[in-house]
Structure formats: C-alpha cells, structure tokens
Amino acid sequence: MKNVAAGALALAACVAGASAARAQDVVLKPLIDARLRYEHVDQQGIADTADAVTLRVRSGVQASTGPFSALVEAESTLAIGPHYNDGYNGKPLPVVGDAENIELNRAQLRYADHGVGLTAGRQLVELGDQRFVGSANWRQNRRTFDAVRGQWAVSPRLAVDATYSWSVRDITGIQGTPERPQAIDGNFWFGTVAYTAPLGTLSGFAYLLDERSNGIAGARLSSQTYGGRYAGTQTFGGAWKLGYIASVARQSDYARNPNRYAATYWLGEATLSRKALSGTVGYEVLGAARGDAAGRALTSVQTPLGSIFGFQGWADKFATTPPDGVRDGYVTVGANWKHAGALSGYGISASFHRFDSDRMSRHYGDELDVVAQAKIARYTVGARYAHYRADAFATDTDKLWLSVEWVFN
C-alpha cells in the first residue's frame, strides 16, 4: 500500500515539476484516503465486549487526458486491536464487520464528454440515496462493482443511468465470511431515469439482482425492485428551508430465488432548517409479503447491495430485514456550523427510532443515535454512539465509535 501511494505521489511531483514547454496532456492525480477507527460493542447475551481498532488506507492514482481517464486504487485494512469477531474468525465476541484485508479496490477506464459518460472495470456504483445500490462506505472495506456503466445527460433536466455488473466485491474483504463470499457473482442490472423540475427531482429506478454465488442462500437474495423517488428543497421566509423526500417501490422474487413473494417499500421524510439548526421527521417501511410468515424466510424487502449504515439506526440490527418486515419512525435534531479557516465545520445531532414489524404488529425496539464531528483542514474527527433497546427483536446493544480520517484527492 505504501508503495502504491509513494509511486502515485512521485508521478504527480514529476508532472508538476515539468517545464511548460514539455508539459503533456496527461494529468496525474494522486488518491489517498486513510481512516483510523475505534469501535466498541457491548451486546446483551455475549459475555465479553468487542473492541476493534482498525486502520484503513486507500491509495492510487488517476491519469486523465481530454475526455479519457484511467484509475487504479488499492485498499488495505489492518486490525491493530483485533479483539472482535470480524464475521469469519469465530471469536466469541460481538461482530464488527471490518476484517483485515488487502485488495484491488478500483481499476477503471472512463470516457466523459458532451453529456455522455462510459465507465468500465472495477468501480463505485452509488445510486440515489444508496438505499438499494451503494458502496457501504461506512465499513472499512468499501463495496465495488466489476461493471460497465453508461450515463447520459439527455438535456439539462433529463438524465439516464444504466449499469450491468457481473461481480461485486463486498465489504467482507478478500477472505469473505462463511455466510457471504467476498466476490458475489451473478447478473446485476441497475437503471435510473431522472427528471429535474423547479420543485425537485423525480426519478424512476429498476434494480435486478440475479445472484449466483453462495448456493441457495445467495439465490434467496435475488430480487427485482421497481420504484420511484421524488426529492427537493424549497426556501421560504428568507432563511428557512424545507427539504422533502417521497419514495415507493415494489420488490419481488427474481431469477433462481425459491421464495415467491412481493413486498412494498416506501419512505416519507421532511427536513426543516434555519441557518445552523435542522430537524427531520421520517417514516420508512421495508414491507413484508402478505400472509403467514411461517417457513418463508426473506419474504420481505431486502437490500443486500445497499449502503445499510445510516438507515434504520446505527446499531445495524436490521441489516437483514426480518421476515415480518420493519417500520421505522424517526426524528432527528442537529446543528452544524461552517467557518473559514482550518476548522471549516463542526456539528452535533441526535436521532430517535421506533421500530415495529410490518406484519404481525410487533414492537421490535427503540434506538438512540448521537454524533459529534468536526472537519479540521484535511482531517475529519468524529464520535458516535448508538443505544438499541430491544423489545421483541434482537438484544440490547450499545456501540461507540471514535475516528479520524484524512483525505487527499
């Protein structure tokens, strides 16, 4: 990893030091991203607590000339304090999903000109709010896709985005886990169409997942999801802003999935803000198929390729949607300040979630999440805390994170 970063910096320095007469059309840009994080997990039913200290480093270089560019990036995660269950090592400790890892994170070629973008190779695919397709960047090992992607700005208001992926490099790292391989092979089709109007952006999407890894367990995650999303922001009264989001989708079995189901997803959210202060209320439903849940595992809306963290609480109790679905009513209040200078921004926010089943009318539990963070020059430092209080689902869990991240790109 150090060699990759050093090589990238050396190449960039050579280009910067070249004379104007000998300057080339090729521009080299180093990419470096490092994050040191401590994660503590205290979970009822497990005698010992988990304490994970991990360092993740991504380093690479992007070369571009005219409308063409090439990018190569490596990623490594080191467990400095390995007192945790990474999902693979079998330690009798709470799970922290940051396994040690070293891999080729991205390797892509891209063309972008006249409103058309074409990307081929191992790349990031982050669509919409990443609820269904995303990079899961919260985890140390980021998700990337071996894919071809086309983007077309048809007009200033209309855009089309289409992706085909044949393999996904998941957050489990190169060794994977017994339940989830690192390379998820199959046929994955993602398409979106977005139209921007004065009051917001209306988008339609289709996500088709035909997973062919991990036998029947993988096949059960094959699905087809079709839906729409509307999001916008309006200013009124001078300094007040109102943001709003509405989304609805229908998911059903697809390809080799042995379960026959159809379930509905929907989201409604509103945010009111004035200067540094903001408040959000929202309700999100990952629905369950109607009928008896007995023996019908995973007959609810699933998001195996989504960026899970940030949805339905930070304790990750609903990373896999229960068979009876989940309803999440939440409220968030926060304050964020921006400044000129080295300390460019800092803020604090707190969220409360109430979780219920979509089917069978059960109260799963409640969760409180609190975060404080600051951006100082190229560094971002933060502290987060999550407390999940179980009622009819999972167990009481407390999580604490302390982190510092440095980015150069």
Side-chain angles (χ1 to χ4, degrees), residues 223-289:
S223 65
Q224 52 187 334
T225 305
Y226 305 94
R229 174 182 170 87
Y230 186 75
T233 303
Q234 294 295 309
T235 301
F236 63 96
W240 290 94
K241 288 186 178 180
L242 175 66
Y244 39 86
I245 302 171
S247 183
V248 63
R250 187 71 168 169
Q251 184 180 98
S252 59
D253 56 276
Y254 181 66
R256 300 181 305 126
N257 193 333
N259 295 321
R260 296 294 176 258
Y261 76 102
T264 301
Y265 167 88
W266 63 272
L267 166 71
E269 182 181 286
T271 299
L272 184 64
S273 61
R274 178 181 172 87
K275 296 183 178 179
L277 303 178
S278 66
T280 299
V281 293
Y283 198 71
E284 185 185 41
V285 177
L286 277 74

Side-chain angles (χ1 to χ4, degrees), residues 85-90 95-103 141 168-184 213-214:
N85 182 349
D86 63 10
Y88 185 84
N89 59 29
V95 172
V96 176
D98 292 327
E100 288 196 294
N101 184 48
I102 183 167
E103 65 176 342
N141 303 317
V168 181
R169 291 312 193 261
D170 212 9
I171 62 174
T172 52
I174 56 175
Q175 62 184 354
T177 69
E179 296 79 20
R180 200 72 174 142
Q182 186 264 353
I184 304 170
S213 297
N214 207 24

Side-chain angles (χ1 to χ4, degrees), residues 9 19 21 28 34 68 88 92 120 134 141 203-204 220 251 272 286 317 386 401:
L9 291 171
S19 66
L28 297 180
F68 298 96
Y88 185 84
N141 303 317
S203 57
R220 288 196 179 107
Q251 184 180 98
L272 184 64
L286 277 74
K317 293 302 177 181
W401 300 268

Side-chain angles (χ1 to χ4, degrees), residues 353-400:
H353 297 259
R354 176 185 170 88
F355 301 110
D356 298 288
S357 65
D358 179 53
R359 180 174 52 191
M360 307 296 286
S361 300
R362 289 183 295 150
H363 176 51
Y364 286 147
D366 302 309
E367 182 168 327
L368 174 67
D369 298 325
V370 181
V371 60
Q373 59 184 19
K375 185 172 178 57
I376 307 169
R378 293 184 181 273
Y379 296 89
T380 300
V381 295
R384 293 176 184 261
Y385 170 74
H387 170 68
Y388 177 77
R389 184 182 62 191
D391 187 357
F393 185 80
T395 57
D396 291 354
T397 301
D398 290 278
K399 292 188 177 185
L400 172 68

Side-chain angles (χ1 to χ4, degrees), residues 131-132 143 251 286 301-308 318-319 321:
R131 189 54 171 115
F132 290 94
R143 179 187 296 122
Q251 184 180 98
L286 277 74
V301 173
Q302 301 294 324
T303 60
L305 298 183
S307 295
I308 303 301
F318 302 96
T321 309

Side-chain angles (χ1 to χ4, degrees), residues 30-370:
L31 306 171
I32 307 174
D33 179 346
R35 180 167 64 193
L36 176 66
R37 184 162 67 199
Y38 166 72
E39 182 169 344
H40 170 83
V41 184
D42 184 355
Q43 184 173 327
Q44 186 180 43
I46 301 179
D48 202 356
T49 61
D51 292 283
V53 180
T54 55
L55 174 64
R56 187 261 294 132
V57 178
R58 300 189 191 112
S59 56
V61 62
Q62 176 180 284
S64 58
T65 176
F68 298 96
S69 65
L71 185 154
V72 177
E73 179 185 65
E75 178 180 72
S76 66
T77 298
L78 173 66
I80 301 172
H83 188 70
Y84 65 99
N85 182 349
D86 63 10
Y88 185 84
N89 59 29
K91 293 182 179 181
L93 300 167
V95 172
V96 176
D98 292 327
E100 288 196 294
N101 184 48
I102 183 167
E103 65 176 342
L104 178 64
N105 190 50
R106 287 189 289 171
Q108 67 180 53
L109 298 174
R110 179 169 172 78
Y111 169 87
D113 198 17
H114 295 96
V116 175
L118 299 172
T119 310
R122 186 164 299 175
Q123 59 188 282
L124 295 177
V125 180
E126 299 173 329
L127 302 179
D129 61 358
Q130 301 189 51
R131 189 54 171 115
F132 290 94
V133 181
S135 62
N137 193 50
W138 171 252
R139 296 268 52 110
Q140 298 287 51
N141 303 317
R142 183 166 56 179
R143 179 187 296 122
T144 54
F145 296 76
D146 292 348
V148 290
R149 183 180 185 184
Q151 297 162 284
W152 180 26
V154 182
S155 71
R157 291 191 174 185
L158 181 63
V160 178
D161 191 324
T163 301
Y164 168 69
S165 173
W166 56 90
S167 185
V168 181
R169 291 312 193 261
D170 212 9
I171 62 174
T172 52
I174 56 175
Q175 62 184 354
T177 69
E179 296 79 20
R180 200 72 174 142
Q182 186 264 353
I184 304 170
D185 297 325
N187 298 297
F188 308 99
W189 299 89
F190 314 131
T192 63
V193 178
Y195 179 80
T196 302
L199 294 180
T201 298
L202 176 65
S203 57
F205 54 83
Y207 306 135
L208 281 65
L209 282 58
D210 174 14
E211 184 172 328
R212 301 203 168 249
S213 297
N214 207 24
I216 194 65
R220 288 196 179 107
L221 292 174
S222 296
S223 65
Q224 52 187 334
T225 305
Y226 305 94
R229 174 182 170 87
Y230 186 75
T233 303
Q234 294 295 309
T235 301
F236 63 96
W240 290 94
K241 288 186 178 180
L242 175 66
Y244 39 86
I245 302 171
S247 183
V248 63
R250 187 71 168 169
Q251 184 180 98
S252 59
D253 56 276
Y254 181 66
R256 300 181 305 126
N257 193 333
N259 295 321
R260 296 294 176 258
Y261 76 102
T264 301
Y265 167 88
W266 63 272
L267 166 71
E269 182 181 286
T271 299
L272 184 64
S273 61
R274 178 181 172 87
K275 296 183 178 179
L277 303 178
S278 66
T280 299
V281 293
Y283 198 71
E284 185 185 41
V285 177
L286 277 74
R290 299 299 95 185
D292 184 5
R296 299 175 62 186
L298 301 185
T299 56
S300 53
V301 173
Q302 301 294 324
T303 60
L305 298 183
S307 295
I308 303 301
F309 190 85
F311 295 95
Q312 298 177 332
W314 301 339
D316 280 348
K317 293 302 177 181
F318 302 96
T320 298
T321 309
D324 287 330
V326 59
R327 293 174 174 260
D328 174 18
Y330 57 93
V331 58
T332 300
V333 292
N336 291 275
W337 295 269
K338 294 182 179 180
H339 297 281
L343 179 58
S344 57
Y346 54 93
I348 185 170
S349 69
S351 301
F352 176 79
H353 297 259
R354 176 185 170 88
F355 301 110
D356 298 288
S357 65
D358 179 53
R359 180 174 52 191
M360 307 296 286
S361 300
R362 289 183 295 150
H363 176 51
Y364 286 147
D366 302 309
E367 182 168 327
L368 174 67
D369 298 325
V370 181

